[in-house]
Amino acid sequence: MNWINYQDSRPIYEQITERYKVLILKGVLEPDEQMPSVRKLAMELSTNPNTVQRAYMELERQGFLYSVRGRGSFVRGGTEVHAQKRAELAERLAGILKEAKEVGIDPRVLLRECGWID
């Protein structure tokens, strides 16, 4: 189960964070499902437990996980996670469309070229 890419320029904790965000958003990990313990995941990924702990802290900070003292980390509910991701994507898309408009590209043309509108 080692999906860490050592050729990737991103730190390992970021790769772990991104992988679990995708699994949570796709619904592979269900709300309130318990995450693997830090030690167990560190052993599976052949990485330092501090790296996994940092990834879990980042996922919690971003609202994807919550912790229960003495029990571990759990997946946060689906609707609020999806709403947060939708807001993040809308903000990024708005920035791109604004930049397109600033350089004289009609945002509708850009969206049409991407195949998102007819």
Side-chain angles (χ1 to χ4, degrees):
M1 171 186 156
N2 197 343
W3 33 258
I4 293 176
N5 179 0
Y6 294 101
Q7 308 304 315
D8 193 330
S9 63
R10 294 176 304 154
I12 293 172
Y13 85 92
E14 284 183 13
Q15 292 181 48
I16 295 169
T17 301
E18 285 304 310
R19 173 69 174 199
Y20 275 103
K21 283 169 62 173
V22 168
L23 292 173
I24 291 167
L25 289 168
K26 284 185 172 182
V28 175
L29 298 175
E30 303 207 3
D32 301 318
E33 183 175 337
Q34 187 167 13
M35 296 289 288
S37 73
V38 169
R39 285 184 182 174
K40 180 179 178 189
L41 186 58
M43 283 180 44
E44 287 178 14
L45 298 177
S46 300
T47 191
N48 189 308
N50 292 334
T51 301
V52 174
Q53 182 62 42
R54 185 169 181 189
Y56 278 16
M57 286 177 17
E58 184 62 24
L59 286 164
E60 190 170 341
R61 187 187 69 75
Q62 292 180 16
F64 287 86
L65 298 181
Y66 66 93
S67 294
V68 176
R69 177 165 268 180
R71 299 232 18 245
S73 296
F74 297 83
V75 176
R76 189 166 297 285
T79 54
E80 55 185 81
V81 169
H82 278 96
Q84 176 185 348
K85 186 64 174 179
R86 191 170 43 253
E88 175 191 322
L89 291 172
E91 185 177 322
R92 287 181 21 211
L93 181 58
I96 291 169
L97 296 176
K98 180 182 177 191
E99 181 181 346
K101 195 172 185 179
E102 288 172 353
V103 296
I105 299 171
D106 183 346
R108 290 180 301 250
V109 171
L110 191 61
L111 291 171
R112 202 171 294 118
E113 286 179 2
C114 293
W116 291 348
I117 60 173
D118 295 325

